[in-house]
Amino acid sequence: MSLDLRFLPWYCRGLSTVIDTVDSDAAPTGYSTTAETEIDGLSGSIQTNVSLYGPGDIEGLGEGQIAAQAPAPGATNIEPNFLVHVDFASADMPWRYTPAQADAQGRLRPWLALIVLRKTETFGIKQISGVPAPFIEAPVAELPDPALPVSALWGHVQVEGPFDETPLAEIVRDAPQRAKARLISPRRLAPNADWMACLVPAFEVGRRAALGQPWDDQTGLAPAWTFDPSSDQHIDLPVFAHWTFSTGARGDFESLARNLEPREMTAAAARRPFVLDPQIAGTGSAEMGLKGALRPVITPAPPGEAASPEVKTTLTDWINRAADVEDAGGDPQTTPPLYGRWHADVRRVGNAAPKWIDELNLDPRNRIVAAAGGDIVQAHQDSFMDMAWEQAGALDAANSLLKNGQLARSVGSRLTEKHIAPLPDAMALKIAGPAHARSRYGDTSLYKSIEDSPVPEASFSSAFRRLSRIRGP
């Protein structure tokens, strides 16, 4: 997927773009206009009354209208803070049957709403003879606010690709895969629960039509329900699509962040002194600031963030003493460990060593952390070795496969030099017929190049090779 994304609050196309009624609860339930058509060869024009479908004309969604559902149907252990949403194949689907234009703030309500309800043993989709669409008895307290301006905020169009001045209508026409419409449910989920997501009509006229109930123009574009979190009532809502999923326990980054408790921290609590041995400190200070994991935001960086030159010189002489004794042929002496020596393949610190070796070994504070890591490795060395051997167990098979591949490449090269290279180009091309589809030639395969050329494909068939071989029939 492209990382370049644009988000638009809504999208309409066709005659929907000429609707002059502003979205409101009192807006008409449909839209009619007059279309004028001119026909070549006839004088004058023909006028026709055109009516657009509205929410009261829809009793369900056809197959293929929904492109994706998230979470996926049947998914388990979903993070409780996940926002349930549904993507549509058509960029205008959520607003296609809203017979109005956006208000002064650019807000337009979708004619569909995505609701998420807690699933219980007695909860489910119902189908009754005579009712056009299946429906569900939804508790009003679990439904989102369907009124302006809230409902207009939970739908948008996502456009993928580079940011340019191309109108969305051209993108939808020339590259429809780049644009998708999305409806989001605003419900915040609870952990360890079963849920059902349902796509339902957002307007009362659409709800009545899909339930087979009467309605008239006086209904307007009133919402299908009234937002009331304290209500104990239920409402029948037609269901155009639905799926179930379940949430798991909290444990994502948000839940961890919310468990943090702010505490006041002083500079003294965040930076404890570290007293050096006089032999290491030399003429420098015998006290260094040992940085902690946290630092107060308003506290400036404490002084003494780097080891003094005297400390670095003392540690350099002390660490290098073992290498000097070994070079002179004497017995190694006990000196501070050189952390990272096996990784960098060095025996000394100083100018010849990698920079990170000096930073790690010539600052007592960094040595403390390295020593702690060494203690951890020593405490768990048996389990670490077991894991290392498990990884090393596959090396033999990998090396065997590599050696076989190298052998095959060498044999193939020798056979090519002996049997293929001396042949004329035409004969070599015939012999290599079975490999044409796997051989690259320019920007395509050799097989495709021959197929597009005037040369008959039969010239490279196995039968023709038998007939045209040297000393053949």
Side-chain angles (χ1 to χ4, degrees):
M1 178 189 295
S2 171
L3 296 180
D4 296 328
L5 299 176
R6 281 185 292 173
F7 294 93
L8 304 176
W10 53 269
Y11 171 63
C12 293
R13 60 179 176 176
L15 288 178
S16 297
T17 59
V18 302
I19 297 177
D20 52 7
T21 304
V22 177
D23 187 13
S24 68
D25 291 355
T29 58
Y31 179 78
S32 299
T33 187
T34 301
E36 186 173 304
T37 306
E38 294 183 358
I39 302 177
D40 293 342
L42 296 180
S43 60
S45 61
I46 299 176
Q47 293 186 349
T48 306
N49 293 328
V50 177
S51 297
L52 300 183
Y53 284 124
D57 300 311
I58 310 302
E59 297 179 352
L61 286 180
E63 294 185 4
Q65 297 296 334
I66 295 178
Q69 299 153 297
T76 59
N77 203 32
I78 301 300
E79 297 90 342
N81 62 340
F82 188 89
L83 285 177
V84 181
H85 60 272
V86 56
D87 293 347
F88 295 91
S90 301
D92 67 323
M93 176 54 71
W95 306 273
R96 180 177 297 177
Y97 303 111
T98 300
Q101 63 167 309
D103 62 10
Q105 288 73 37
R107 301 170 302 199
L108 182 64
R109 288 177 295 174
W111 68 278
L112 289 169
L114 181 62
I115 63 174
V116 177
L117 307 174
R118 189 183 293 267
K119 193 173 183 297
T120 62
E121 294 182 358
T122 59
F123 185 82
I125 305 294
K126 299 181 180 180
Q127 181 73 64
I128 298 179
S129 177
V131 177
F135 66 95
I136 192 170
E137 293 182 7
V140 175
E142 297 189 35
L143 298 178
D145 189 350
L148 271 172
V150 178
S151 60
L153 302 177
W154 295 104
H156 63 253
V157 180
Q158 174 183 300
V159 184
E160 301 176 9
F163 291 93
D164 51 30
E165 299 301 325
T166 305
L168 180 57
E170 294 185 14
I171 295 177
V172 172
R173 181 193 64 199
D174 301 333
Q177 73 280 0
R178 289 181 51 191
K180 66 176 67 173
R182 177 177 296 126
L183 283 182
I184 303 174
S185 168
R187 175 157 191 171
R188 189 171 185 85
L189 307 178
N192 300 317
D194 296 327
W195 304 90
M196 175 180 289
C198 301
L199 201 59
V200 301
F203 297 120
E204 175 65 11
V205 60
R207 186 187 76 89
R208 294 186 184 181
L211 291 176
Q213 299 175 0
W215 60 273
D216 52 38
D217 292 338
Q218 299 300 320
T219 306
L221 293 184
W225 63 88
T226 302
F227 179 65
D228 187 0
S230 62
S231 174
D232 58 355
Q233 303 296 317
H234 287 69
I235 184 173
D236 292 341
L237 288 178
V239 177
F240 293 160
H242 71 280
W243 73 97
T244 59
F245 62 94
S246 61
T247 51
R250 298 187 184 275
D252 59 348
F253 179 80
E254 179 187 352
S255 63
L256 296 176
R258 290 184 180 277
N259 287 334
L260 294 176
E261 297 181 1
R263 297 181 182 179
E264 294 185 2
M265 179 180 292
T266 62
R271 179 174 178 268
R272 299 180 181 276
F274 172 67
V275 181
L276 295 175
D277 187 284
Q279 185 177 359
I280 300 178
T283 59
S285 174
E287 182 175 301
M288 296 184 65
L290 187 61
K291 293 181 291 185
L294 301 176
R295 176 187 296 170
V297 177
I298 61 175
T299 303
E305 289 292 327
S308 64
E310 294 86 354
V311 171
K312 291 184 177 181
T313 300
T314 303
L315 285 173
T316 299
D317 295 340
W318 200 357
I319 293 173
N320 290 342
R321 189 180 305 166
D324 295 337
V325 173
E326 291 180 8
D327 293 343
D331 295 332
Q333 297 183 357
T334 301
T335 57
L338 177 56
Y339 296 111
R341 61 169 297 184
W342 304 111
H343 305 80
D345 192 22
V346 296
R347 297 170 56 234
R348 301 172 182 270
V349 292
N351 296 331
K355 182 179 180 180
W356 65 269
I357 286 286
D358 290 351
E359 293 176 348
L360 175 62
N361 287 276
L362 300 184
D363 191 321
R365 293 165 296 189
N366 295 337
R367 294 184 61 86
I368 291 174
V369 179
D375 291 342
I376 293 174
V377 173
Q378 292 177 3
H380 302 280
Q381 57 185 350
D382 292 338
S383 59
F384 288 162
M385 285 301 300
D386 291 340
M387 289 186 287
W389 278 115
E390 288 179 3
Q391 297 178 8
L395 291 179
D396 291 339
N399 288 332
S400 178
L401 182 63
L402 180 61
K403 291 177 181 178
N404 291 336
Q406 293 171 342
L407 175 61
R409 183 181 61 183
S410 299
V411 172
S413 299
R414 294 293 296 171
L415 291 175
T416 300
E417 294 174 2
K418 183 177 181 180
H419 299 289
I420 304 299
L423 295 176
D425 292 343
M427 184 58 66
L429 196 60
K430 292 179 182 179
I431 293 177
H436 286 173
R438 301 188 301 273
S439 302
R440 192 162 189 81
Y441 183 77
D443 295 333
T444 183
S445 66
L446 187 57
Y447 178 85
K448 180 62 176 175
S449 299
I450 295 173
E451 186 182 47
D452 296 339
S453 72
V455 180
E457 298 180 27
S459 302
F460 302 96
S461 64
S462 58
F464 186 78
R465 287 197 302 272
R466 287 194 298 269
L467 289 172
S468 60
R469 71 181 186 274
I470 301 175
R471 294 187 297 278

